[in-house]
Amino acid sequence: GAVVSQHPSWVICKSGTSVKIECRSLDFQATTMFWYRQFPKQSLMLMATSNEGSKATYEQGVEKDKFLINHASLTLSTLTVTSAHPEDSSFYICSAPLVNEQYFGPGTRLTVT
Amino acid sequence: AQSVTQLDSHVSVSEGTPVLLRCNYSSSYSPSLFWYVQHPNKGLQLLLKYTSAATLVKGINGFEAEFKKSETSFHLTKPSAHMSDAAEYFCVVSIYNFNKFYFGSGTKLNVKP
């Protein structure tokens, strides 16, 4: 089946710094990818839709300047958390659609100290 | 607007007994519905999906779900629980060609020996 990878799988950063998370579709191309956030013991919340070659579209309440998304190629989308704060600590998951299904990455756990 | 309500945040069953995880949905369009499972520190795994074909959907590991339009429900069942079924289960509604996914709050299934 199709595989989506994320890198890194976990990251610790200091408050005020920025951190980039990569999402790759390994064996298929994806013009669209999606970013989700999952707080501990909570559900996944759709943050934004990453569109190859154009601007991302963000869900209501998600800060565009805080969570920068770049979809530079058909197999790679990146999420950059800028000026991270402890409240940004979370589990970030990406997904990419193929045919009639979404394929999810394994997630990236971000801890901001 | 689309939304999913998982009626139980925790379900506890004994090994070998039936499992019922409840899900109700709301959608302005004809929905596609999914159940995903998330084991601790693992990525999301698709259990089954409904995409306007047969209303009784069979998935992996003995799970199945029935789409009931009149009740706007998509409950997940399994005749006999196994210890390995202990995990978090998410009901998901999708629109627009399986792109945007909206997750329920999740149900944590505990299986007692």
Side-chain angles (χ1 to χ4, degrees):
Chain A
V3 177
V4 174
S5 70
Q6 284 185 240
H7 177 80
S9 55
W10 59 271
V11 58
I12 301 173
C13 71
K14 294 191 174 184
S15 189
T17 63
S18 296
V19 60
K20 181 184 288 188
I21 302 169
E22 293 185 348
C23 176
R24 292 182 186 274
S25 55
L26 296 186
D27 47 3
F28 67 101
Q29 295 181 331
T31 56
T32 304
M33 291 183 177
F34 301 89
W35 287 96
Y36 300 82
R37 183 173 180 177
Q38 185 179 28
F39 289 102
K41 300 184 179 181
Q42 293 188 32
S43 188
L44 280 75
M45 180 191 77
L46 178 63
M47 297 175 64
T49 303
S50 173
N51 303 299
E52 189 267 335
S54 65
K55 291 183 179 180
T57 53
Y58 292 80
E59 296 298 302
Q60 192 172 8
V62 177
E63 299 176 61
K64 302 178 184 182
D65 297 331
K66 175 76 168 172
F67 299 100
L68 299 180
I69 291 173
N70 184 16
H71 196 144
S73 78
L74 289 171
T75 59
L76 173 64
S77 173
T78 59
L79 168 68
T80 301
V81 183
T82 63
S83 187
H85 290 284
E87 56 265 30
D88 299 324
S89 298
S90 191
F91 195 52
Y92 293 87
I93 300 174
C94 70
S95 72
L98 178 64
V99 190
N100 294 337
E101 202 163 315
Q102 283 279 353
Y103 291 88
F104 288 85
T108 297
R109 185 162 303 282
L110 169 64
T111 301
V112 184
T113 60
Chain B
Q2 288 63 233
S3 67
V4 173
T5 302
Q6 290 184 243
L7 299 167
D8 307 292
S9 58
H10 289 82
V11 170
S12 185
V13 300
S14 296
E15 190 174 22
T17 64
V19 175
L20 170 64
L21 305 183
R22 299 182 294 166
C23 172
N24 286 99
Y25 70 92
S26 172
S27 177
S28 305
Y29 306 88
S30 294
S32 294
L33 293 157
F34 305 77
W35 276 99
Y36 281 84
V37 61
Q38 186 180 38
H39 290 274
N41 300 314
K42 295 282 182 70
L44 290 160
Q45 181 183 20
L46 177 66
L47 282 178
L48 49 80
K49 61 183 177 183
Y50 165 76
T51 56
S52 75
T55 56
L56 181 61
V57 182
K58 294 187 183 298
I60 62 172
N61 301 335
F63 285 95
E64 62 181 41
E66 186 171 8
F67 174 71
K68 293 187 176 180
K69 187 175 181 179
S70 60
E71 298 176 10
T72 61
S73 69
F74 191 58
H75 302 333
L76 181 71
T77 61
K78 182 173 181 177
S80 177
H82 191 272
M83 294 298 292
S84 61
D85 294 328
E88 186 95 27
Y89 291 79
F90 293 99
C91 183
V92 181
V93 64
S94 173
I95 57 168
Y96 300 142
N97 297 323
F98 311 98
N99 277 343
K100 286 196 174 184
F101 272 33
Y102 295 91
F103 281 74
S105 54
T107 298
K108 187 167 186 177
L109 176 64
N110 179 45
V111 182
K112 299 174 290 186

